[in-house]
Amino acid sequence: FDQTIKEWIEIIDDVVDQYLFISQYSMMEFQNYVSKDISSISEVIELGTSPVASSTGNHQTQKQAPYILSVGTLEPRKNHILLYYTWKNLLLQGHTPPKLIIIGSEGWMSSTIASLLRDDPELKAFISIKHKVSDSELDTYYRNCMFTIFPSHYEGWGLPISESISYGKFCIASN
């Protein structure tokens, strides 16, 4: 995979006038694949942070018990397995975990974690996965959550962190 990325970057590097990145971290990671210093032709553009207008609809999330929200595609680098084992361990230790709502579609190599999150009989009452959520529904989920959690292995400053902060919600994020 690394070799494929290096080859692709070598091809485009000759025709690129400027590189745009969503975080300092992603720029530093990209720099590892380029033989020259790209800082003079690179710019970090922060992801949008304006919440969408509040919907006039009365979505079901407004009637739910307090919950923690996690937004992002289900795939290995997003580290949903950590959430699964955290909720599982809370139960094993005799605690009642809070409700966790995960919003995101299933991505590559996600069938195992999606199955664990969706089908574990002990966690069914505590974890739910939502797919194809509209902007107004997402707005409602953000507005009504206690806080958000973003345990990604490899993301830097992802959009869900910016969205969470824009709604005034704390976000527990991996380093």
Side-chain angles (χ1 to χ4, degrees), residues 22 47-49 71 142 150 155-165:
I22 63 167
L47 298 171
T49 58
V71 177
Y142 270 118
F150 189 68
E155 196 77 27
W157 185 272
L159 183 58
I161 298 171
S162 293
E163 290 177 336
S164 181
I165 292 169

Side-chain angles (χ1 to χ4, degrees), residues 15 43 48 54 69 85 88 90-91 102 104 106-108 131 141 153 157 163 170:
V15 297
E43 184 177 350
S54 182
L69 180 64
Y85 283 117
K88 189 78 166 175
L90 284 168
L91 278 176
I102 299 171
E106 291 185 25
W108 62 278
H131 305 291
Y141 281 111
H153 282 302
W157 185 272
E163 290 177 336
F170 291 101

Side-chain angles (χ1 to χ4, degrees), residues 3 15 18 22 32 35 43 57 68 92 112 118 128 131 135 146 152-153 160 162:
Q3 186 58 38
V15 297
Q18 183 176 23
I22 63 167
N32 292 332
S35 57
E43 184 177 350
I68 297 168
L92 291 172
T112 301
R118 184 181 52 243
S128 64
H131 305 291
D135 287 345
M146 293 185 298
S152 182
H153 282 302
S162 293

Side-chain angles (χ1 to χ4, degrees), residues 123-134:
L123 293 176
K124 275 190 180 269
F126 303 105
I127 297 177
S128 64
I129 302 172
K130 310 283 185 191
H131 305 291
K132 297 182 181 176
V133 171
S134 71

Side-chain angles (χ1 to χ4, degrees), residues 24-147:
Q24 289 290 337
Y25 180 78
S26 59
M27 183 172 72
M28 290 184 324
E29 284 291 298
F30 187 84
Q31 179 66 66
N32 292 332
Y33 292 98
V34 183
S35 57
K36 66 180 183 183
D37 179 18
I38 61 167
S39 60
S40 65
I41 59 168
S42 296
E43 184 177 350
V44 174
I45 299 176
E46 293 182 11
L47 298 171
T49 58
S50 297
V52 297
S54 182
S55 75
T56 56
N58 193 8
H59 297 295
Q60 185 179 20
T61 56
Q62 294 174 334
K63 299 173 188 165
Q64 292 183 359
Y67 60 91
I68 297 168
L69 180 64
S70 182
V71 177
T73 304
L74 289 171
E75 56 186 49
R77 71 186 174 101
K78 302 289 186 165
N79 201 17
H80 290 93
I81 194 77
L82 176 67
L83 299 177
Y84 171 79
Y85 283 117
T86 299
W87 262 248
K88 189 78 166 175
N89 283 332
L90 284 168
L91 278 176
L92 291 172
Q93 293 172 8
H95 302 286
T96 301
K99 176 87 172 162
L100 172 65
I101 297 176
I102 299 171
I103 296 178
S105 58
E106 291 185 25
W108 62 278
M109 296 176 60
S110 66
S111 60
T112 301
I113 186 58
S115 178
L116 285 171
L117 290 165
R118 184 181 52 243
D119 300 333
D120 187 317
E122 294 176 327
L123 293 176
K124 275 190 180 269
F126 303 105
I127 297 177
S128 64
I129 302 172
K130 310 283 185 191
H131 305 291
K132 297 182 181 176
V133 171
S134 71
D135 287 345
S136 65
E137 290 171 311
L138 183 61
D139 171 71
T140 302
Y141 281 111
Y142 270 118
R143 289 183 189 281
N144 293 297
C145 71
M146 293 185 298
F147 60 90

